[in-house]
Amino acid sequence: MQKTPIPWLVIKAELLLIFLVVLVLAVKSFRFVNDDTRLVLRGELDLVSIALIENALREHKGKFNTLQFEDSPGAGAAAGMIVDQLEGLINRHHLNTEARGYCASACAAAFLLGENRTLLKNNELAPTYLMIHAFRNHVTREVNYGKTETLNKKMSAKSLSKLPLPLLNRIFDDKKGTGDGEIYIFRDPQRTPNGQHHVFVCDGSRHVVIGQCEPIVGMTPAKLGIRVAN
């Protein structure tokens, strides 16, 4: 039996619907806040939401001075491109950065590139923290050492070297030798069997609780050039 061809107008309508759904989801991922100085990026970072932020900054010149990240796992395949775009926006518009809840991967990198960097209070059950790790090829999962090392130098420079480059480079020192290490920076000290600490280095092994990672004794966000606020 001969198949009835799908009218081109139907195809166009379906493509438009898909685009609108993606756009609505992206719009929900960022918002203006009451004091009219901040743009909030919530959840996963993607190219559409970054474009919306860029448009807002262009159309309202001088209005916004801060990017605030809320509960963001970072980005997917375009992580490197997204961090580069956010870095460009931060430098061009002299933007501060804030984080509330978790801010991991590309989110942590973008946060640490801010002019002034502030960790905000979340709640006791879901603390505010950064998680830093190496950049990887999305397909092969191989560590991009060049990109990561360049970014580490930029993040350290933004803190006026308060965030030491040797500490950032410890993400490469995992036991498996595959660059799977992670650095956690908590706004509030986390209770562990060895006391309360803000900063931890994890070696890439499967950890159930943060207390199984190595604490950097005596290190706080303030000592790393990161502000703490409510």
Side-chain angles (χ1 to χ4, degrees):
M1 184 168 63
Q2 187 176 8
K3 293 183 178 180
T4 303
I6 301 174
W8 172 239
L9 287 177
V10 175
I11 296 174
K12 288 176 66 176
E14 290 177 347
L15 291 174
L16 178 60
L17 179 60
I18 292 171
F19 172 76
L20 289 174
V21 169
V22 171
L23 184 60
V24 168
L25 291 175
V27 170
K28 286 184 177 180
S29 71
F30 96 102
R31 62 181 174 87
F32 303 96
V33 293
N34 293 335
D35 63 5
D36 290 333
T37 62
R38 289 170 173 78
L39 289 168
V40 179
L41 281 162
R42 185 185 298 107
E44 184 171 343
L45 306 177
D46 57 40
L47 292 171
V48 177
S49 59
I50 302 305
L52 292 171
I53 291 290
E54 186 172 13
N55 289 338
L57 289 168
R58 182 172 57 249
E59 293 174 5
H60 305 276
K61 290 184 179 179
K63 181 176 183 180
F64 303 107
N65 60 26
T66 302
L67 286 180
Q68 187 180 113
F69 301 95
E70 290 186 357
D71 290 333
S72 176
M81 185 184 304
I82 286 171
V83 171
D84 289 343
Q85 290 187 3
L86 285 172
E87 179 188 10
L89 293 175
I90 288 168
N91 292 340
R92 190 156 56 248
H93 297 277
H94 305 288
L95 299 174
N96 303 318
T97 52
E98 297 175 341
R100 190 187 303 277
Y102 59 89
C103 178
S105 190
C107 175
F111 169 88
L112 290 169
L113 291 171
E115 295 291 320
N116 294 293
R117 302 149 302 282
T118 305
L119 296 177
L120 302 174
K121 183 78 173 176
N122 199 31
N123 60 68
E124 292 181 1
L125 296 178
T128 291
Y129 66 89
L130 308 174
M131 188 277 279
I132 310 164
H133 66 69
F135 272 94
R136 288 183 171 276
N137 182 288
H138 183 66
V139 177
T140 66
R141 305 307 300 159
E142 292 182 356
V143 172
N144 186 332
Y145 286 95
K147 175 75 173 178
T148 305
E149 289 169 351
T150 297
L151 189 61
N152 283 356
K153 290 177 182 178
K154 290 180 178 180
M155 293 189 296
S156 181
K158 280 287 186 175
S159 73
L160 301 178
S161 298
K162 290 182 179 180
L163 182 56
L165 194 56
L167 172 61
L168 288 170
N169 286 338
R170 289 203 58 189
I171 57 178
F172 302 127
D173 297 339
D174 65 291
K175 292 181 178 179
K176 295 184 291 184
T178 53
D180 285 332
E182 299 169 342
I183 298 170
Y184 287 81
I185 302 172
F186 285 85
R187 177 192 181 279
D188 301 300
Q190 299 300 294
R191 189 181 303 277
T192 76
N194 298 313
Q196 297 189 66
H197 307 283
H198 290 268
V199 182
F200 300 84
V201 176
C202 302
D203 61 13
S205 303
R206 183 179 293 276
H207 297 288
V208 178
V209 294
I210 195 66
Q212 295 177 342
C213 297
E214 176 191 346
I216 306 300
V217 178
M219 189 61 71
T220 66
K223 290 181 180 179
L224 297 175
I226 300 171
R227 299 175 178 180
V228 170
N230 294 324

